[in-house]
């Protein structure tokens, strides 16, 4: 039997069926605004299409093209034949296996049992419907019974009637499902919704221009994780998509042409590619990418050559395309004229404790015996997601004594896995930038930026290098007092680098910074005898 044509891609993340006269207007406005902030692209039929007794083909099409089909049951929902026809259509779409629509029910001020058995206001509503059209009325009754048995949210039961919390729980669950796409993002995505809120991703859906944005931050802060979550939630809105993971590493281990072939092959769905030079690859991208709106993510780019070879200009892409770059160098993306750069922040203490606890205890909060120790770990790791995961796993099911020992070690020696992630940012610096970084880490944290610059200028380190370190997220400048600040993990890495350089005479001047109290006392004895 022929079925309704199936769309090749979702146009909307969600379609919401509701009877506006029943529901407090602020509730629906709040819900749609919350969806928008979290990057959930929702169709709202009371705004986009005029209502009539019969549902228009455009509205049916909107239902077909929406991944989540949400029904809001209110006291008088059943009194609207329009709403009931929407409901029948929604449940019909649920029966189609490909694409897989997900139906969700919201019980606003009508209990599941009332809807299921058509009691109270629902009994009165059906008494008014045209009984001559018995077949359609029977379909409506059956649809209500089926829908009331589906998984849903009850305003009164879930949040005691607090609408803002209720809406947040709905949008979070939808967002979590949207992020569960073709790319493995990982477990325990704490804080993802915060980033989605700030990015306002829905503005890119249906755009008439080529959008380019950058995601920047310190190594291990979660740039790739966020980019994958964005990709998973948005690729369905584009006619082609590609996530090029770790461009820097692929170029180093293979070649830049390998990245080009991956990108072209995935978007054009072809394996018949023979690109011999980067220039040839750029020409193919320029000629072939402008045929349809695409989503392209270039993860961990670190030089101009990569940008010019993979996304040299907006003119290479079709209007409506979205290109996302992730990297550790803000100036690199700034010079490529991206529309905006999103700087990823560390997790706040509450989210940091939640993420750490998920890995250390397997739940969102620490056990009572470890609350104080867990709080100390959070203080030292300063909301760094990778470090929180690593130390959470390291301390999982360990004794209190082991925790205390690791806390002492944490303040002096960097974890090797964390160091491995952070070290490339230092290695990429020029020699004078490296020297300035180590000097600042040793002696100028907390000092005024201009004071530090004047001293460092006198030691043949250009003050402009401070801006380089800031752009590479190795250093920050406090907006309050213009003092130089550095993440504890970065400073810990600096100590380790200096330890490695002990044997070099020119670096002995920094030795006291990482020496033990006994070493310092010995030096004082020598100095006092001079």
């Amino acid at each position: 039997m022929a079925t309704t044509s199936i769309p090749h891609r979702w146009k909307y993340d969600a379609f919401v069926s509701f009877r506006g006269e029943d529901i407090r207007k602020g509730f629906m406005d709040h819900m749609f605004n919350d969806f928008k902030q979290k990057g959930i692209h929702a169709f709202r039929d009371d705004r986009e299409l005029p209502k009539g007794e019969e549902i228009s083909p455009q509205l049916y099409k909107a239902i077909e093209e929406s991944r989540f089909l949400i029904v809001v049951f209110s006291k008088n929902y059943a009194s609207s034949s329009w709403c009931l026809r929407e409901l029948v259509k929604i449940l019909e779409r649920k029966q189609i296996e490909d694409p897989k629509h997900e139906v969700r029910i919201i019980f606003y001020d009508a209990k599941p049992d009332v809807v299921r058995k058509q009691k109270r206001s629902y009994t009165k509503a059906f008494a008014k419907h045209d009984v001559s059209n018995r077949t359609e009325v029977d379909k409506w009754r059956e649809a209500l019974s089926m829908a009331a048995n589906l998984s849903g949210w009850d305003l009164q039961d879930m949040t005691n009637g607090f609408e803002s919390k209720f809406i947040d729980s709905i949008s979070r669950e939808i967002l979590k499902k949207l992020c569960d796409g073709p790319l493995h993002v990982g477990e325990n995505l704490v804080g993802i919704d915060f980033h989605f809120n700030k990015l306002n991703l829905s503005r890119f859906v249906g755009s008439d221009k080529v959008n380019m944005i950058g995601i920047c931050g310190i190594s291990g802060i979660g740039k790739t994780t966020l980019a994958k979550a964005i990709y998973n939630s948005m690729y369905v809105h584009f006619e082609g998509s590609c996530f090029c993971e770790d461009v820097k590493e692929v170029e180093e281990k293979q070649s830049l042409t390998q990245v080009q072939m991956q990108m072209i092959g995935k978007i054009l769905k072809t394996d018949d590619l023979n690109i011999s030079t980067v220039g040839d690859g750029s020409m193919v991208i320029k000629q072939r990418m402008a045929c349809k709106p695409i989503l392209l993510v270039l993860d961990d780019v670190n030089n101009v050559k990569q940008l010019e070879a993979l996304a040299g200009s907006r003119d290479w892409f079709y209007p409506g395309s979205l290109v996302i770059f992730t990297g550790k160098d803000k100036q690199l993306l700034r010079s490529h004229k991206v529309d905006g750069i999103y700087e990823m922040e560390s997790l706040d203490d509450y989210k940091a404790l939640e993420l750490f606890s998920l890995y250390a205890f397997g739940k969102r909060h620490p056990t009572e015996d470890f609350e104080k120790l867990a709080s100390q770990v959070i203080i030292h790791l300063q909301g760094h997601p990778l470090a929180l995961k690593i130390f959470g796993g390291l301390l999982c099911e360990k004794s209190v004594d082991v925790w205390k020992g690791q806390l002492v070690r944490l303040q002096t020696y960097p974890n090797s896995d964390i160091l491995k992630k952070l070290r490339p940012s230092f290695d990429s610096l020029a020699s004078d930038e490296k020297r300035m970084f180590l000097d600042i880490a040793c002696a100028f944290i907390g000092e005024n930026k201009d004071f530090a610059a004047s001293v460092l200028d006198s030691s043949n380190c250009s003050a402009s290098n401070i801006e380089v370190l800031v752009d590479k997220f190795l250093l920050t400048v406090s907006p309050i007092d213009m003092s130089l600040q550095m993440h504890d993990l970065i400073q810990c890495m600096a100590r380790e680098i200096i330890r490695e350089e002990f044997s070099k005479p020119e670096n002995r001047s920094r030795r006291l910074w990482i020496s033990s109290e006994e070493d310092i006392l010995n030096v004082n004895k020598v100095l006092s005898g001079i």
Side-chain angles (χ1 to χ4, degrees), residues 32-304:
F32 279 99
N33 286 337
D34 200 61
F35 282 175
K36 184 177 180 180
Q37 288 173 354
K38 287 184 171 66
I40 300 169
H41 186 52
F43 177 92
R44 184 170 178 173
D45 68 313
D46 71 330
R47 294 293 180 86
E48 298 188 31
L49 292 174
K51 288 207 171 190
E53 190 61 24
E54 295 297 327
I55 298 180
S56 67
Q58 294 98 320
L59 185 59
Y60 276 142
K61 187 173 178 61
I63 292 173
E64 291 171 4
E65 294 178 341
S66 299
R67 176 175 171 182
F68 281 88
L69 303 174
I70 302 170
V71 181
V72 184
F73 283 131
S74 53
K75 285 182 180 179
N76 296 309
Y77 182 91
S79 65
S80 168
S81 57
W82 174 279
C83 289
L84 291 170
R85 290 189 179 106
E86 279 185 348
L87 178 63
V88 170
K89 178 65 175 179
I90 284 170
L91 292 178
E92 284 177 357
R93 297 306 302 176
K94 179 176 169 57
Q95 306 307 315
I96 299 176
E97 294 183 359
D98 187 19
K100 186 67 173 176
H101 295 272
E102 299 196 42
V103 178
R104 293 291 186 273
I105 308 300
I106 295 176
F107 297 98
Y108 180 77
D109 58 2
K111 288 296 182 182
D113 189 57
V114 171
V115 178
R116 186 183 302 112
K117 298 179 180 179
Q118 289 105 61
K119 299 191 296 186
R120 299 174 190 171
S121 60
Y122 280 61
T123 300
K124 295 178 182 178
F126 274 95
K128 296 180 180 180
H129 287 306
D130 186 2
V131 293
S132 64
N133 188 5
R134 186 74 186 184
T135 301
E136 189 172 25
V137 170
D138 286 345
K139 283 184 178 180
W140 294 348
R141 288 186 179 277
E142 183 182 0
L144 287 169
S145 297
M146 289 176 58
N149 286 319
L150 298 174
S151 61
W153 300 282
D154 191 317
L155 173 60
Q156 299 304 322
D157 288 350
M158 283 183 60
T159 57
N160 295 320
F162 287 101
E163 292 185 356
S164 59
K165 291 182 179 180
F166 183 66
I167 290 170
D168 184 59
S169 65
I170 292 170
S171 58
R172 279 174 181 265
E173 183 174 327
I174 292 174
L175 180 58
K176 183 178 179 181
K177 293 286 287 187
L178 290 175
C179 291
D180 185 18
L183 301 177
H184 177 66
V185 181
E187 304 301 321
N188 306 322
L189 300 182
V190 175
I192 285 292
D193 58 316
F194 169 80
H195 298 302
F196 272 57
N197 283 348
K198 296 194 73 173
L199 282 163
N200 188 20
L201 296 169
S202 61
R203 62 195 162 110
F204 300 121
V205 178
S207 173
D208 59 359
K209 57 173 283 193
V210 176
N211 294 286
M212 289 186 171
I213 63 171
I215 300 174
C216 285
I218 183 178
S219 296
I221 199 69
K223 299 181 296 295
T224 300
T225 298
L226 176 59
K228 285 182 176 180
I230 293 172
Y231 181 90
N232 284 349
S233 70
M234 297 194 70
Y235 78 99
V236 294
H237 299 299
F238 298 86
E239 294 183 21
S241 61
C242 181
F243 190 101
C244 296
E245 187 165 3
D246 209 337
V247 172
K248 171 180 172 289
E249 184 174 357
V250 175
E251 181 188 17
E252 290 175 352
K253 293 185 176 180
Q254 299 180 54
S255 66
L256 195 50
T257 56
Q258 182 64 34
V259 183
Q260 291 176 319
M261 287 191 290
Q262 174 195 350
M263 173 180 161
I264 298 167
K266 179 72 186 299
I267 292 175
L268 299 181
K269 295 179 172 56
T270 178
D271 296 324
D272 186 21
L273 292 171
N274 185 18
I275 296 174
S276 56
T277 68
V278 172
D280 289 343
S282 296
M283 285 303 299
V284 173
I285 294 171
K286 185 176 180 180
Q287 293 168 357
R288 303 289 299 277
M289 291 298 108
C291 62
K292 58 186 178 182
I294 66 167
L295 170 63
L296 173 64
V297 179
L298 299 175
D299 174 54
D300 198 15
V301 292
N302 75 326
N303 62 58
V304 174

